[in-house]
Amino acid sequence: MTRSTAPLRSALRVAKRLACAVAVLFFPSAALALPAPQSGVLPHGGTYLIAADAQAPTAAIDLWFRAPADGYAAPVPGIARVAAAAAAASRLVTGRTLAETVAQAGGNLTIAVYPDLVAIDVIVPPSAARRVLASLTAAYFSASIDAASLEAGEKDTIVQVVQQQYEADVLAQDALFGALFSSGPATQPPIPLGPDQLSHLQLSAVRDFAQRAFRSSNAFLTMAGDVDETMLSVVTDGSGVAAPDAPIYSKPAASSAKSATVRGGEPGIGIGWLGPPIADERAATALDFVADYLFNSGDGTVIKAFERAGSSAYLHGQFITLHDPGIMLVTLENTSDQSLEQKVLEAIAALQKPLDAQTFAAAREAFIYHIDTQTQTPGEQADMLGWYAAEGAAAYAPGGSEYERIARSLDPDFVAATVRRYLSHPVTVRVLVSPQTQTGSST
């Protein structure tokens, strides 16, 4: 699918999958969770998608930008995260910053940076949605970053730098991306491993990045919940109608037979494979199914096997749908036990043979049910729309009719063939405990 909190470093507010150990005969297929979105072009440039639900208790407003996490020229670690945080901390014509406006409305503001995307996610009471939308688009479409807001952006990012040293799944994910790609922003962690890497950021460089990355024509504005199209009248900033940047490209490594290590505050293991691009929707959905069948937090077969064995390791698996290629990731936190890694690999390998028809049918219904439960809230819906639109396939967002149609078209032979094609040559990384986790290091 897309993001999960742990691996996809959310704010990917982990899409923890709901437990659903009920047999398929005891629950009907859920109704589509994602309302059919309205879409169009903003008056001053940019794409919008709106999944309105007047009965929702909240309004979710996201801005997504195609932008390389390490900048446009020579790599500058952390520049996208710092620029995004600095824009949220910049004083607007109202006299308040975006962060202050959201806080005063009783809402939540989250900034998430991926190798190829920057996302600003806001959830607020519906009564505050219009003024927050105006502040959100002003803060980014006309970013005015000064020395004070740059300092605030750096401090906010340093908090994440330190925090991720104790998140073995995040460190493993970043190391896996570095091993699976040979060039481009995916080779570098979106959040640097050490705060010293942020100390050399120049105000002029951050301003230039923000002006290029956060221009309105490069934006995907997604709204869900108690929102409507008339709200777009408050979007008065922008640089004119134009096409967004092409999806950001990182070159896959020529060979996947690699391993790597990274140091952090707790042990962990990561396993990764290059997968299909978002354009191959059926294969991508097949690997979403595989991740759900094996690693769903409630009833995934590998999860249940670990629980029966009394393992204290936290296991997470997902297919990350990207423009080209996608990535299958499995991470284990709080363990360095290679026998657990072997159990994961054996479970993946077993799916190279088709499941029997009855097991597959039940697993497919459970998978569709899980997808629907993960796209119930306005925040989840805005996230899904934003991610898939920015990656180049808005209509394929999980929770919608197209995704469900493709999911129902899966069959045991196709899933097994997809596993054989993409999940035969894993890359592994190990997170080793470092005596000094404040700065981190990788080898």
Side-chain angles (χ1 to χ4, degrees):
M1 220 170 28
T2 128
R3 334 141 72 192
S4 115
T5 302
L8 263 190
R9 146 176 348 263
S10 182
L12 263 147
R13 329 170 228 244
V14 203
K16 295 247 188 201
R17 309 182 187 247
L18 286 182
C20 179
V22 187
V24 65
L25 292 179
F26 292 95
F27 62 78
S29 294
L32 289 178
L34 184 61
Q38 301 169 277
S39 62
V41 178
L42 295 169
H44 303 281
T47 301
Y48 72 83
L49 298 99
I50 302 174
D53 178 3
Q55 303 305 312
T58 59
I61 307 171
D62 288 9
L63 271 182
W64 291 76
F65 300 95
R66 291 173 178 168
D70 60 355
Y72 292 97
V76 181
I79 191 169
R81 179 58 174 76
V82 170
S90 296
R91 196 86 30 204
L92 303 175
V93 295
T94 61
R96 294 186 297 272
T97 68
L98 170 63
E100 290 170 345
T101 300
V102 173
Q104 290 173 9
N108 293 312
L109 168 69
T110 301
I111 295 170
V113 176
Y114 312 101
D116 59 336
L117 300 174
V118 176
I120 301 91
D121 306 340
V122 175
I123 299 177
V124 292
S127 60
R130 291 178 68 89
R131 68 175 180 273
V132 168
L133 174 60
S135 296
L136 174 64
T137 52
Y140 288 91
F141 294 172
S142 297
S144 180
I145 298 171
D146 58 18
S149 56
L150 173 59
E151 182 180 5
E154 289 175 337
K155 288 181 178 179
D156 188 70
T157 303
I158 286 171
V159 171
Q160 284 206 332
V161 169
V162 175
Q163 178 180 329
Q164 74 179 3
Q165 296 303 314
Y166 300 91
E167 298 175 342
D169 56 342
V170 172
L171 295 174
Q173 175 186 294
D174 289 343
L176 284 169
F177 269 67
L180 289 166
F181 292 90
S182 61
S183 64
T187 62
Q188 300 295 325
I191 307 297
L193 292 176
D196 55 301
Q197 293 182 285
L198 302 174
S199 61
H200 304 297
L201 287 177
Q202 300 296 316
L203 177 58
S204 59
V206 174
R207 281 175 169 168
D208 289 347
F209 177 90
Q211 183 176 14
R212 179 172 178 179
F214 303 151
R215 69 189 193 278
S216 58
S217 59
N218 194 40
F220 296 85
L221 169 66
T222 60
M223 302 195 299
D226 192 356
V227 295
D228 62 72
E229 199 170 8
T230 66
M231 291 171 51
L232 300 177
S233 63
V234 305
V235 181
T236 58
D237 292 278
S239 54
V241 177
D245 288 348
I248 305 300
Y249 180 72
S250 292
K251 182 179 180 181
S255 172
S256 60
K258 297 179 180 178
S259 62
T261 62
V262 64
R263 295 195 175 274
E266 66 175 14
I269 300 170
I271 313 168
W273 300 258
L274 292 171
I278 196 171
D280 191 347
E281 295 174 351
R282 194 165 186 239
T285 307
L287 292 190
D288 282 347
F289 167 85
V290 168
D292 185 81
Y293 178 70
L294 297 178
F295 307 114
N296 179 275
S297 62
D299 56 1
T301 59
V302 180
I303 292 284
K304 290 195 293 186
F306 277 31
E307 290 175 351
R308 288 194 298 269
S311 173
S312 62
Y314 174 70
L315 174 64
H316 182 87
Q318 65 175 333
F319 178 67
I320 302 174
T321 310
L322 298 167
H323 185 74
D324 188 17
I327 304 296
M328 185 77 169
L329 290 180
V330 180
T331 56
L332 298 95
E333 292 181 85
N334 193 38
T335 185
S336 57
D337 187 346
Q338 294 187 30
S339 69
L340 298 181
E341 172 191 343
Q342 187 58 35
K343 290 182 185 301
V344 169
L345 293 174
E346 289 172 357
I348 292 281
L351 291 184
Q352 293 185 15
K353 295 182 179 179
L355 294 170
D356 67 82
Q358 183 176 2
T359 299
F360 183 85
R364 184 178 58 194
E365 286 300 316
F367 166 55
I368 294 170
Y369 178 84
H370 295 155
I371 293 297
D372 286 336
T373 61
Q374 292 166 27
T375 51
Q376 292 286 333
T377 70
E380 291 166 343
Q381 292 167 0
D383 279 353
M384 286 294 188
L385 284 174
W387 180 277
Y388 280 78
E391 293 293 350
Y396 174 55
S401 59
E402 180 64 10
Y403 189 93
E404 181 170 354
R405 182 191 67 78
I406 295 169
R408 291 196 179 281
S409 78
L410 298 178
D411 60 69
D413 289 338
F414 180 79
V415 170
T418 304
V419 172
R420 291 193 299 271
R421 179 178 179 184
Y422 290 106
L423 305 185
S424 297
H425 303 290
V427 170
T428 59
V429 302
R430 309 197 185 286
V431 182
L432 308 177
V433 177
S434 171
Q436 295 181 335
T437 58
Q438 288 83 2
T439 57
S441 63
S442 63
T443 58

